[in-house]
Amino acid sequence: MTTVKEIIGEMVAPSSEDIALVEKAYECAKKTHEGQVRYSGEPYFTHPAATAKILAEYGMDATTIAAGLLHDAVEDGCISRVNIEKEFGKELLFIVDGVTKLGTHKYRGAERHAESLRRLLVATASDIRVLIVKLADRKHNMQTLEYVPEHKRRRIALETLEIYAPIADRLGIGKMKNTLEDLAFPFVDPDAAAHVAEVRKLKTKETEDGLAKVRKELKQQLAKKGLTTFRTDIRMKGLWSLHQKLKRKHDDINLIHDIAALRVIVPTIEDCYATLGTVHALYKPLPGEFKDYIAFQKPNGYQSLHTTVVTPEAGIVEIQIRTEEMHRRAQFGIASHMSYKQLGKEVEKLEEKVQKNMFSSLSFSWIRSLIPSLMKVSKDGGGGSGVTKVPPWLAELADAHAEVIGSEDFVDGLKEDFFSHRVFVFTPKGDVIDLPTASTPIDFAYAIHSDLGDHLQGAKVNGKLVSFDTVLGNGEIVEILRRDGAHPSPKWLEIARTSLARRCIRSALGMTEPTKKSRRHRSHHVNKK
Ligand code: MN
C-alpha cells in the first residue's frame, strides 16, 4: 500500500498547506473505501493511493494529487459531492466530477469512432488536470489489469491503446504514452508482444555495448569544444511503437534504426547545434534522416534534434540532442508545467492573449484550460524570487495562433471553436457519433447508415421515445427504431440539420436529381423490397 509519506516524498517542494491537503485527502479516501476490495483482492484504497503517487511523480499540484486520492470516492464510496466540496473545495470537486464523467464514456472497439471519442474526452475534461488524473488512473488500472476478468481485459487494453495513449501523446506526455502502450500491448496481441519483446531484447544487447563506446568517443570530442556539462541516456523504443514500425517495414528489424537511441542532454540550444556538428563530424549522417524539431517543433510541443548516423561501434543509430527543459517536456509534456511554482506576470499576459485570440481552436483549447491552474500556482507560490517565465513554447503557440485568428473578437472566435458547434451522442452500444449542434434523431440515423434513415420509425433518447425534431444534447444515448415500411416525409427536410441527411431525404423522396452514386444506392434498396 502506497503510504502518504511516499506520495508527499514525490512532490516538488510542497508547502505545509499542500502536505496538509494531501494528508487529509488520504485519510478521507482511505475511510471512504474501507471494506471495498479490488479484483486483485487488495483493499480498494491501494488504487487511489497508487494513482495519487503517479500524479506526484508527474509533478502535479497538491489539489490534483488530492483529487487523485478521491477520484473514485463519490462513485464507489459513500462520501457525497456536497461533503467533498465542503471539505476540499470547489476546485477539487470539479476535478473529481470530471474524472467521473469521463468514466462513463467507454470505447467499444469501433475504430471509426476513436477520434471522436478522443475529442469528446478532451472536450468534456475542460480542465487539463481532469485528463491527467484520468491518465494516472488508467496507468494503475493497466498495471493491475491481469486481475480483471478475462473478458474485460481486451476491451480495456484496446481503449488504452486507441484512446488514452493518443491523448497522452497529444498532451506531449511521452513517458505516459509509452507506458500505457506497453502495458496494453500484451493484452491486445499476446503473440506479437512476445515476438517484439524478443526481437528488441536481441538488439538491445548488441546496441547497448556499441552505444557505450559511441558515448565515450563523443564525450572526448565535446570536451575538446569545452562542453563538459552534459549527460546522456539510452532510450529503447517502446514495444508497441516498435511493433507498429515493424509492420510498416515488413518485419525486417534491420530496417529500423531507432530501436535504441542515444540521447544527449545539454544546457542550451546553442549547445544542441554544437553537439550536432560534433556528431556529424565524427560519424556520417544518413541523408534525409536529420530532423530539426527545435526550429520546427511538433504540434504537441516536442523539441529535439534527431539525426541518424553510421557508427563503427554500434552500426546505424539515432542520436537525439536536446536541452534539459526539452527533455523534461518530452517526458511530462503539459504536466511538466504544473509544478512551476512562480510564474509571475507572464501568465497574466498570456491569459490576456488567450482571452482575445485563443477561443477558436481545437488544438489549443487545452492551453486555455491550463491557464486557471497556472494562475493558481503562481498565486500560491508567493515569494516572487526566481520567477519562472511561461514556457516559451506555450507563449509561442499563443502567438502563432494570434496570427491565424487575426483580430477577430471573442464571439466570432467562439463560433469557430470545434466543440462549440459539435455535439457528441452515443449509440446504445456506446459508439460516439459526432454531429453539428441542433442535430435531430433524423441526422443521427442518417449518420449511422442511409438505410437506417430511410426506414426511421421512431427514436429514443436515453430510453425515452422522442419526436423527430428533438434537438440532441451532448452525451445522450440515441436509439433508432427501424421498420421496413417506414419512409421519409417532406417535413423531415425542415427538421434535418446535416446536409447528408437532407441529401438522402431528397433522394428518397425523388425530389432532386440525385448523384449517380446515390441513385444506384436508392435503386438498390427499391429492388430489395
Ligand atoms: Mn479509478
Side-chain angles (χ1 to χ4, degrees):
M1 173 88 72
T2 313
T3 63
V4 70
K5 275 216 171 75
E6 287 175 278
I7 297 170
I8 292 165
E10 294 290 340
M11 291 171 72
V12 189
S15 68
S16 51
E17 288 93 4
D18 291 343
I19 293 173
L21 177 66
V22 171
E23 281 174 344
K24 190 175 163 192
Y26 188 93
E27 285 312 315
C28 176
K30 195 175 173 182
K31 229 173 81 196
T32 306
H33 291 294
E34 205 143 62
Q36 298 174 337
V37 286
R38 300 264 292 169
Y39 282 123
S40 61
E42 286 181 302
Y44 191 89
F45 181 61
T46 55
H47 168 64
T51 304
K53 183 155 178 263
I54 294 167
L55 290 166
E57 285 164 7
Y58 277 75
M60 302 305 291
D61 64 322
T63 309
T64 313
I65 295 168
L69 282 162
L70 291 161
H71 80 271
D72 284 327
V74 177
E75 231 192 339
D76 302 344
C78 36
I79 186 164
S80 69
R81 296 178 63 255
V82 177
N83 275 339
I84 288 206
E85 182 169 354
K86 209 171 75 197
E87 296 293 322
F88 299 98
K90 256 200 168 73
E91 200 184 333
L92 187 140
L93 176 65
F94 179 82
I95 299 176
V96 170
D97 271 348
V99 176
T100 309
K101 238 194 284 172
L102 290 189
T104 60
H105 305 310
K106 289 206 169 67
Y107 177 64
R108 309 280 179 190
E111 262 179 54
R112 66 189 185 283
H113 298 316
E115 178 59 23
S116 304
L117 186 54
R118 285 194 288 267
R119 286 175 175 183
L120 172 72
L121 291 187
V122 174
T124 342
S126 71
D127 182 320
I128 207 72
R129 290 173 299 175
V130 171
L131 276 180
I132 293 175
V133 173
K134 188 69 200 170
L135 289 172
D137 166 60
R138 181 49 63 116
K139 180 178 166 186
H140 183 250
N141 282 337
M142 291 307 297
Q143 284 166 337
T144 50
L145 191 61
E146 60 185 302
Y147 302 108
V148 168
E150 206 175 342
H151 67 279
K152 286 188 176 177
R153 284 182 214 156
R154 199 182 133 82
R155 184 193 70 76
I156 295 171
L158 255 183
E159 186 179 65
T160 302
L161 272 183
E162 298 280 351
I163 308 296
Y164 289 102
I167 287 177
D169 187 36
R170 206 161 296 178
L171 298 179
I173 316 176
K175 204 178 150 137
M176 180 68 89
K177 171 191 173 267
N178 283 323
T179 306
L180 289 178
E181 284 178 349
D182 285 3
L183 285 168
F185 188 18
F187 292 98
V188 170
D189 191 343
D191 293 343
H195 169 68
V196 175
E198 190 59 35
V199 167
R200 190 178 74 172
K201 209 169 140 196
L202 287 173
K203 271 280 181 185
T204 308
K205 260 199 120 66
E206 131 192 2
T207 34
E208 264 180 355
D209 300 346
L211 282 180
K213 286 181 198 147
V214 170
R215 189 187 172 280
K216 212 174 146 194
E217 206 166 24
L218 195 58
K219 201 173 175 181
Q220 286 169 354
Q221 291 302 315
L222 287 174
K224 280 187 198 163
K225 283 198 180 177
L227 192 58
T228 48
T229 48
F230 70 93
R231 63 191 180 92
T232 57
D233 75 23
I234 293 172
R235 92 93 181 88
M236 297 304 298
K237 200 172 186 62
L239 289 177
W240 175 252
S241 63
L242 182 56
H243 174 60
Q244 298 305 107
K245 201 152 190 178
L246 273 171
K247 281 203 294 196
R248 288 200 299 273
K249 303 276 182 186
H250 311 289
D251 210 26
D252 187 349
I253 190 79
N254 295 315
L255 293 177
I256 298 176
H257 303 135
D258 63 346
I259 293 180
L262 182 69
R263 275 188 193 138
V264 187
I265 301 153
V266 296
T268 68
I269 291 182
E270 288 75 37
D271 296 333
C272 290
Y273 290 102
T275 304
L276 177 75
T278 306
V279 169
H280 282 182
L282 262 178
Y283 312 110
K284 209 180 229 345
L286 287 189
E289 294 285 318
F290 168 63
K291 290 185 193 88
D292 187 345
Y293 293 123
I294 292 180
F296 305 97
Q297 60 181 268
K298 289 190 181 179
N300 66 7
Y302 177 86
Q303 285 188 302
S304 266
L305 300 175
H306 287 192
T307 185
T308 304
V309 295
V310 187
T311 68
E313 295 87 357
I316 299 173
V317 290
E318 181 172 297
I319 296 185
Q320 304 176 345
I321 306 161
R322 53 174 73 156
T323 64
E324 214 43 83
E325 200 215 331
M326 291 172 194
H327 182 58
R328 202 166 57 100
R329 211 193 306 140
Q331 297 196 69
F332 298 115
I334 202 82
S336 67
H337 307 291
M338 298 297 179
S339 56
Y340 277 32
K341 284 287 169 187
Q342 282 110 9
L343 285 148
K345 288 232 173 279
E346 291 287 325
V347 170
E348 285 162 46
K349 265 198 254 164
L350 182 61
E351 198 193 25
E352 264 171 48
K353 276 186 187 171
V354 165
Q355 294 261 343
K356 281 188 193 141
N357 301 313
M358 292 187 49
F359 277 88
S360 57
S361 166
L362 162 65
S363 35
F364 299 111
S365 57
W366 50 267
I367 297 175
R368 179 183 57 195
S369 66
L370 173 65
I371 297 302
S373 50
L374 288 179
M375 288 302 290
K376 190 187 163 291
V377 171
S378 72
K379 274 181 211 137
D380 287 358
S385 57
V387 170
T388 314
K389 292 209 289 188
V390 161
W393 63 276
L394 192 55
E396 276 160 28
L397 283 177
D399 281 339
H401 201 63
E403 274 170 41
V404 180
I405 306 300
S407 56
E408 274 175 353
D409 67 353
F410 170 71
V411 181
D412 276 355
L414 199 64
K415 268 193 231 151
E416 292 202 358
D417 189 334
F418 178 80
F419 293 118
S420 72
H421 57 77
R422 303 300 286 182
V423 29
F424 298 86
V425 285
F426 294 87
T427 68
K429 280 184 178 168
D431 283 349
V432 185
I433 307 290
D434 81 86
L435 294 165
T437 44
S439 286
T440 65
I442 297 176
D443 298 297
F444 179 87
Y446 278 110
I448 292 177
H449 200 281
S450 57
D451 175 71
L452 198 57
D454 287 349
H455 301 99
L456 172 62
Q457 162 78 6
K460 284 182 179 175
V461 169
N462 295 336
K464 279 196 192 126
L465 273 173
V466 296
S467 61
F468 288 166
D469 60 356
T470 305
V471 170
L472 301 177
N474 254 326
E476 289 178 341
I477 299 166
V478 186
E479 189 184 345
I480 296 300
L481 310 170
R482 187 193 176 282
R483 189 170 59 90
D484 274 341
H487 231 302
S489 98
K491 233 185 87 189
W492 288 17
L493 282 173
E494 290 156 36
I495 297 169
R497 164 86 170 72
T498 54
S499 50
L500 169 77
R502 266 187 253 153
R503 205 167 55 235
C504 291
I505 296 165
R506 261 188 245 118
S507 153
L509 295 170
M511 279 171 69
T512 40
E513 61 299 353
T515 62
K516 261 187 189 161
K517 207 175 160 193
S518 60
R519 195 185 298 137
R520 252 206 312 269
H521 175 79
R522 280 302 312 156
S523 59
H524 171 73
H525 282 289
V526 172
N527 291 344
K528 230 170 49 176
K529 269 187 265 170

